[in-house]
Amino acid sequence: MIQTASPLAQTDDPLVRDLQARLGAEGVLTDPASLAFHGQDVYAAGAPLRAVVRPATRDALAQAMAILAAAGVAIVPRGGGMSYSGGYLAPAAGAVLVDTGRLDRIIEINAHDMYVVAEAGVTWAALDAALAPHGLRTPFWGPFSGIRATIGGSLSQNAVTYGTGIHGTAVDSMVGLEVALGDGRLVRTGSWGHGSAGAFFRHFGPDLTGLFGGDAGALGIKTAAAFRLVKRRPVSTGLSFCFQDFNGLLGAMAAVAREGVTSEGFGLDPFLQKQRLGMGDLKSDLKMLLAVGKAGRGPVEALWQMAKIAIAGRGFLKDVNYSAHYTVDAADRDEERSMLRRVRAAAQPFGREIENSMPTLVRAYPFPPLNHIMGPKGERWVPVHGILPFSRVADFREALEGLYAGQAEAMARHKVQVAAMFSTVSTNAFLYEIAIYWEEARAVFHDRVLEPSAAASLARYPANPEGTELVEALKADIVALFHRHGAAHLQVGRLYPLSQDRDPAATELLEAVKRWADPRGIVNPGALGL
C-alpha cells in the first residue's frame, strides 16, 4: 500500500538545533510541506521524517553526517528524487534525509586532460550545458529525467539513456568519487585519492570507484564525482523502424546493438506508443519543434526537419505495432553514412524504416519537463525493469504474458494497465522496462514536480486502495519473474532482490564493506537488503 507521510512535529529538537548551528536555518527543513515532499518518491511515501538537511558545501555535509552518526540517527540520502524503488524512503519514523541538491557546483572542467569534476547535486542537464561550449561531453550524459536527476543520485542508482548504446551506464563513465562515510569521513577514489594526482584515471589498484556505484547510497553519500570526457560529435542523425511483433523488435534491437554504433537505442510497445503520443499540447509541441530547429545543421536542414515532423504530426506511429528508435553521432558525413548503412543492414531484415520524428525530437529536446511521471489522463505511473541477455528475453516475455493473462480480470476491474519500453545497453544487454498505470489519488510529489499547466490539465482520481494493492502484487510478481530469468537491475533501492541466491562469499564481502563504511548501520538502512 502507498503510505501517506504525516511529518513529525519539530519544536525544540536538540538535534535539529545542532544541525542548524552547522548548516544555517536554510540548510535544515522541518516544515510539514518539505518533510512530506522529500519523504516521497515517484511511487510511494516512506515513514515520517525528523528533518531534511540540505548542506551547501561538501565539508558541511560531512560534518552533518558526523553529528547524525554521534546521535545514532538513521540517514537517508536523496539526489534528484526521481526513484521509484524506495531507494531514499525512510524505513522507520525519525530518520533525517540528506538532500544533496545544494551541492551544485562544477569544480573543474579539464579540457586538456579530458575529465570533469562536479558536485553531487549538479543535474545532468546543467553538466551538459556547461560542457557544451568546450565541445565536450561525458560519455554517458544523462537519463531522460536529467533536468532534475543529479549525478550523485544517478551514480548511486546507476542509470541509462544518453550514450548508453556505446558507453554503457552512468557508472561506466566515472573516473573517481568523493564519498562521505557513515561517521563523517571523506574518501576519494581512483587517482583522485592519491596525493597530488588529479581525478583523471579510475584504476590504481582495486576499483574502489566501482564499489560505490549502484550502492543506493547505502555505503555513504556521494559529495562529488569525476567523469572522463569525449568530444561532442557534430553530426547526429535519428533512425526509426517498425515491426509487426515483439520478436521482430527484439531481433532488430539485438542486431543493431551488436554493431556498437548507436548512441541510444530504445523501443516502444503499441500501448506505450499510444500513451506517449496522447500526451502533450500545442505549447509543448512548439517547444520541441523549436528545439529541433535550433539543433539543425544550418537553417535549411533545420526548416526541413521541422517541416517533416510537423507534417507527420502525432499520428506517425498510429498504425505501427512496435517501433525502435536510434541515434548515431558521427564526426563527419562519411562516418555518418557508414554508421547508417550498418544500422539499416542490421534492422531491415526484421522490419521497415519509418519517419524518424521520435529520435530527432528526443535528441533535440533531451531533458524535457517531467510531465510523464503520470499517465496521459492523470493516472499514477510506476515502472519495473530488468536487464537480460538477448537470449533470455523471449522466454521472459512469454512468462510475463502468462502473468498478465492470469491477472486480466482483476486488472480490468481495477483499471490497471501495463505497457513496456525497451532499450539496449552497450552491445550485450536488453533493458525491459514495464510501465504500470492505474487510477489513484495524486501525491504531493506529483503536484510539486509537474509543470503547473500539466498538473491543471490532468484528472484527479479518488483513492483506490484495491487498485494500488493489485499494483503492489503485480510489481512483486514481476520482480520475482525477472529474478527467475536471471535479470540484473539498476536502482536496486529496497525493491530488487540483490542478496537472493547470491554467491555467499560476495554477500559476505558486501556486508563487510558496509560495516567498514557505516559502522553504526545508520546510512540508508535496508537499502540493498543490508
Side-chain angles (χ1 to χ4, degrees):
M1 298 291 290
I2 295 180
Q3 302 172 17
T4 302
S6 53
L8 300 175
Q10 299 299 325
T11 56
D12 299 323
D13 186 328
L15 176 64
V16 170
R17 288 200 301 270
D18 287 347
L19 292 168
Q20 287 175 335
R22 179 62 193 88
L23 304 178
E26 70 281 3
V28 184
L29 307 178
T30 58
D31 62 286
S34 294
L35 297 185
F37 170 71
H38 285 87
Q40 298 177 346
D41 66 9
V42 172
Y43 175 64
L49 295 171
R50 186 170 179 176
V52 173
V53 298
R54 304 187 74 237
T57 68
R58 289 136 61 205
D59 285 341
L61 186 150
Q63 291 174 33
M65 293 275 285
I67 291 170
L68 293 168
V73 173
I75 302 167
V76 182
R78 184 181 188 273
M82 298 312 298
S83 172
Y84 64 87
S85 56
Y88 64 83
L89 299 185
V96 171
L97 183 142
V98 178
D99 178 355
T100 58
R102 294 176 73 197
L103 302 180
D104 58 0
R105 286 166 288 277
I106 295 174
I107 300 165
E108 179 184 7
I109 297 175
N110 192 321
H112 188 77
D113 293 330
M114 295 293 280
Y115 68 86
V116 59
V117 183
E119 290 184 330
V122 173
T123 67
W124 290 99
L127 181 62
D128 192 57
L131 293 171
H134 301 272
L136 299 172
R137 171 173 285 162
T138 52
F140 168 88
W141 52 283
F144 285 133
S145 57
I147 193 171
R148 193 177 190 99
T150 63
I151 62 172
S154 297
L155 294 174
S156 294
Q157 301 280 37
N158 212 353
V160 294
T161 300
Y162 295 116
T164 287
I166 294 175
H167 300 289
T169 70
V171 168
D172 292 327
S173 291
M174 283 195 300
V175 291
L177 279 173
E178 183 182 78
V179 181
L181 302 178
D183 54 7
R185 289 174 295 163
L186 284 173
V187 60
R188 288 180 176 175
T189 69
S191 62
W192 197 10
H194 289 266
S196 62
F200 73 101
F201 196 68
R202 177 165 171 167
H203 301 285
F204 189 175
D207 183 17
L208 299 182
T209 301
L211 183 67
F212 294 96
D215 71 336
L219 302 181
I221 297 182
K222 294 165 186 63
T223 63
F227 299 91
R228 65 187 179 92
L229 295 173
V230 296
K231 287 187 175 182
R232 298 172 90 93
R233 296 194 157 201
V235 180
S236 293
T237 304
L239 281 177
S240 295
F241 298 87
C242 69
F243 311 92
Q244 290 299 313
D245 54 30
F246 176 77
N247 288 334
L249 170 77
L250 173 60
M253 292 192 72
V256 172
R258 293 185 191 107
E259 294 297 315
V261 296
T262 57
S263 297
E264 299 92 38
F266 64 93
L268 304 173
D269 77 352
F271 187 95
L272 194 56
Q273 287 172 170
K274 182 179 178 181
Q275 294 287 79
R276 290 305 183 224
L277 291 174
M279 299 185 76
D281 52 25
L282 179 61
K283 181 180 176 182
S284 61
D285 288 349
L286 286 174
K287 277 185 181 179
M288 289 189 289
L289 274 179
L290 289 172
V292 170
K294 186 177 179 181
R297 297 175 238 169
V300 174
E301 179 167 334
L303 288 171
W304 171 240
Q305 287 285 0
M306 292 171 70
K308 283 201 308 176
I309 292 170
I311 292 168
R314 287 182 169 272
F316 72 98
L317 291 176
K318 182 179 179 182
D319 298 318
V320 170
N321 287 337
Y322 292 84
S323 64
H325 310 275
Y326 298 101
T327 305
V328 299
D329 293 304
D332 53 39
R333 294 298 184 118
D334 288 338
E335 186 179 30
E336 175 194 36
R337 284 190 287 269
S338 174
M339 288 176 158
L340 294 179
R341 279 196 301 269
R342 291 171 66 182
V343 175
R344 287 183 172 119
Q348 282 174 344
F350 301 93
R352 63 179 174 85
E353 190 170 347
I354 58 173
E355 176 59 50
N356 67 347
S357 296
M358 187 164 288
T360 301
L361 287 168
V362 167
R363 258 309 186 88
Y365 199 31
F367 303 122
L370 299 176
N371 297 328
H372 288 171
I373 60 171
M374 303 197 81
K377 297 178 182 178
E379 306 96 329
R380 292 290 293 275
W381 162 82
V382 64
V384 186
H385 80 271
I387 300 174
L388 296 154
F390 300 126
S391 59
R392 293 193 177 189
V393 176
D395 286 345
F396 166 78
R397 180 174 174 87
E398 182 179 356
L400 181 66
E401 292 296 317
L403 172 63
Y404 290 160
Q407 293 281 11
E409 188 277 330
M411 290 168 68
R413 186 169 70 252
H414 295 297
K415 299 180 180 179
V416 175
Q417 297 178 298
V418 290
M421 180 176 178
F422 320 99
S423 59
T424 49
V425 182
S426 191
T427 59
N428 62 319
F430 189 90
L431 189 149
Y432 197 120
E433 182 170 277
I434 298 154
I436 306 176
Y437 300 89
W438 79 110
E439 295 181 4
E440 174 60 281
R442 196 183 303 179
V444 171
F445 178 91
H446 302 98
D447 281 325
R448 191 148 161 184
V449 173
L450 290 168
E451 284 188 307
S453 59
S457 68
L458 297 174
R460 286 187 177 271
Y461 295 102
N464 179 14
E466 293 84 5
T468 297
E469 186 175 358
L470 176 59
V471 170
E472 277 286 287
L474 273 175
K475 282 179 58 192
D477 289 343
I478 291 168
V479 169
L481 197 61
F482 272 125
H483 183 72
R484 288 200 295 273
H485 286 81
H489 300 278
L490 308 171
Q491 62 163 294
V492 174
R494 293 175 175 82
L495 176 62
Y496 297 111
L498 180 65
S499 61
Q500 185 178 346
D501 300 328
R502 193 176 181 88
D503 172 22
T507 298
E508 290 175 15
L509 176 59
L510 180 59
E511 290 173 344
V513 172
K514 172 68 172 176
R515 287 192 295 272
W516 169 81
D518 179 22
R520 303 193 66 176
I522 61 173
V523 180
N524 217 8
L528 303 185
L530 297 172

